Amino acid sequence: QVQLVESGGGLVQAGGSLRLSCAASKSIFRLNAMGWYRQAPGSQRELVASITSGGTTTYADSVKGRFTISRDNAKNTVYLQMNSLKPEDTAVYYCNVQALLLTKQYDYWGQGTQVTVSS
């Protein structure tokens, strides 16, 4: 099992910044890709950004140039720096980790953290 603890959400004005953190518990699993998803009311959960164990990143078009994902492998932690926030970024943000045990991959999710951007 891998447990994920998220932090850093909150209320911010448009144009402001927030930094999300997601720490994974130490385990025998190997952590592969780590990422952030978000879900706004009435919408499907969507990928915001992801980063592989080697550091390759992927971003949704809507956040490119504003959000930066990074990870600290020594701390089993993934971060999402969100700048120039817009009201449409308002959503619950979920951390996702793909963990490998032997040859089987497992998906783990954080509990979610609310990000609210006021206009």
Side-chain angles (χ1 to χ4, degrees):
Q1 284 279 355
V2 176
Q3 294 181 331
L4 304 177
V5 178
E6 301 173 9
S7 61
L11 173 64
V12 65
Q13 288 188 333
S17 298
L18 284 173
R19 188 192 194 207
L20 305 183
S21 299
C22 173
S25 59
K26 298 288 186 181
S27 73
I28 60 175
F29 288 80
R30 171 186 167 184
L31 302 184
N32 285 342
M34 304 178 80
W36 292 94
Y37 288 71
R38 66 186 181 187
Q39 188 168 19
S43 299
Q44 289 188 333
R45 191 173 295 189
E46 62 175 359
L47 174 68
V48 176
S50 67
I51 183 168
T52 67
S53 57
T56 300
T57 58
T58 300
Y59 294 95
D61 287 343
S62 59
V63 306
K64 283 181 181 177
R66 299 188 298 122
F67 291 10
T68 302
I69 190 170
S70 60
R71 64 190 284 173
D72 184 332
N73 291 327
K75 296 182 179 180
N76 284 355
T77 300
V78 62
Y79 306 95
L80 185 68
Q81 178 67 43
M82 304 185 293
N83 298 328
S84 302
L85 282 160
K86 304 176 180 180
E88 50 263 44
D89 294 318
T90 295
V92 177
Y93 284 68
Y94 296 91
C95 174
N96 170 264
V97 170
Q98 296 176 1
L100 184 68
L101 179 61
L102 298 178
T103 60
K104 189 170 182 180
Q105 184 162 284
Y106 299 83
D107 263 325
Y108 291 97
W109 293 90
Q111 79 280 7
T113 185
Q114 178 71 47
V115 171
T116 303
V117 184
S118 63
S119 57

